[in-house]
Amino acid sequence: MTFVIIFTISLVIVRNTKTKERYGIYNGLLVSGVQTQLLSILDSGSRLEDVGMRVAYQLARRSVVKVEVNTSVGSGLIWEISDDGIVIASNRHLLMKDVKAGITFCNGEAADAEIIGYSQQYDVGFLKVDGSDVTKNILRHIYEAVPTEDEYTAGIPVLQIAADLTGVGDNFSTGSILEIAYEPVFNTNVIRTQCYSKAGMSGGGVFDAGGRLLGMLSGGEVADDAAVREAEVSLSLPAALISEEYRVLIGNRG
């Protein structure tokens, strides 16, 4: 028997919005020391042997952020970049814990964000970093997540990426789509992937081999006798559902 868990970590956080790190060059890109270490692991082929997935990782990781709300931490996806700021999608179960959040981008820079709304039906919410808090250096390193327009097909390879919460590069996994199926806990059809996931990965992204977004990680299936609450089958909300919920939110705010 299995049950669904929702992946968010709760802990005591000391927030620093002026994070500074050492940076280096990787394939012409400016990356942090932690990322340089991780990418060197990828180059060795010990974690991502498929070259295409390495490229997908380098594209997709730029749209993934760490989200800290009150005493909990998870992940989020950069949904929209404009002159007004940066909108980030994450899970409602994380964002409902406060009205403010701390965001850490892939280059290590941090900023505060306002939680701007949630879905009324699904585990989706949105927050925004004001444009005045977005530095040129942040903009040089980030991308909007690009949802795929293709059909979700069982068996296609996927890459799951969340925020790097530990600094040792254990924030991603690879696998394949199992199926699209209704999940009562989330009140909708979800993408079931044969991919490892754990606490803190909630709000991260599921990407195809081209780096395009398929969905947002929201939980996983864990055997009831498992000693460690880590999932081998992950559950993600489809990107199309997130897009529709954002349109509803913007329409209501307008």
Side-chain angles (χ1 to χ4, degrees), residues 103-182:
I103 302 299
T104 304
F105 296 95
C106 65
N107 69 342
E109 289 194 58
D112 290 330
E114 174 190 2
I115 297 169
I116 59 175
Y118 327 100
S119 167
Q120 296 301 307
Q121 301 181 67
Y122 310 115
D123 191 24
V124 178
F126 300 90
L127 56 163
K128 185 175 183 178
V129 178
D130 190 80
S132 62
D133 295 325
V134 180
T135 68
K136 291 181 179 179
N137 196 45
I138 289 174
L139 291 174
R140 278 196 294 268
H141 288 83
I142 64 174
Y143 292 146
E144 290 181 357
V146 179
T148 180
E149 296 181 358
D150 297 339
E151 294 291 331
Y152 301 142
T153 305
I156 68 168
V158 296
L159 172 66
Q160 296 185 169
I161 307 177
D164 188 358
L165 305 182
T166 64
V168 296
D170 60 350
N171 60 325
F172 67 92
S173 62
T174 58
S176 60
I177 291 180
L178 292 172
E179 62 178 347
I180 308 297
Y182 181 77

Side-chain angles (χ1 to χ4, degrees), residues 88-111:
I88 294 162
S90 189
N91 292 123
R92 181 176 65 180
H93 71 260
L94 172 63
L95 300 187
M96 288 184 71
K97 297 182 179 183
D98 207 337
V99 297
K100 299 285 186 180
I103 302 299
T104 304
F105 296 95
C106 65
N107 69 342
E109 289 194 58

Side-chain angles (χ1 to χ4, degrees), residues 3 5 7 38 45 47 82 85 90 117 141 145 155 165 177 187 234:
F3 63 95
I5 60 174
F7 291 125
L38 174 56
R47 298 286 304 279
S82 69
S90 189
H141 288 83
L165 305 182
I177 291 180
N187 191 34
S234 300

Side-chain angles (χ1 to χ4, degrees), residues 3-9 73-77 79 89-95 97 119 121-126 159-163 173 181 183-193 195-207 213-222 229-231 233-242 245:
F3 63 95
V4 173
I5 60 174
I6 296 175
F7 291 125
T8 300
I9 295 176
V73 60
S75 302
L77 298 165
W79 199 254
S90 189
N91 292 123
R92 181 176 65 180
H93 71 260
L94 172 63
L95 300 187
K97 297 182 179 183
S119 167
Q121 301 181 67
Y122 310 115
D123 191 24
V124 178
F126 300 90
L159 172 66
Q160 296 185 169
I161 307 177
S173 62
E183 175 52 59
V185 171
F186 297 106
N187 191 34
T188 188
N189 288 335
V190 300
I191 308 168
R192 299 181 71 247
T193 53
C195 282
Y196 164 84
S197 55
K198 63 177 183 177
M201 295 186 76
S202 184
V206 181
F207 299 88
L213 181 70
L214 298 171
M216 181 170 66
L217 283 163
S218 295
E221 295 180 353
V222 178
R229 291 299 182 252
E230 298 176 347
V233 173
S234 300
L235 307 175
S236 302
L237 300 173
L241 182 148
I242 303 169
E245 290 305 304

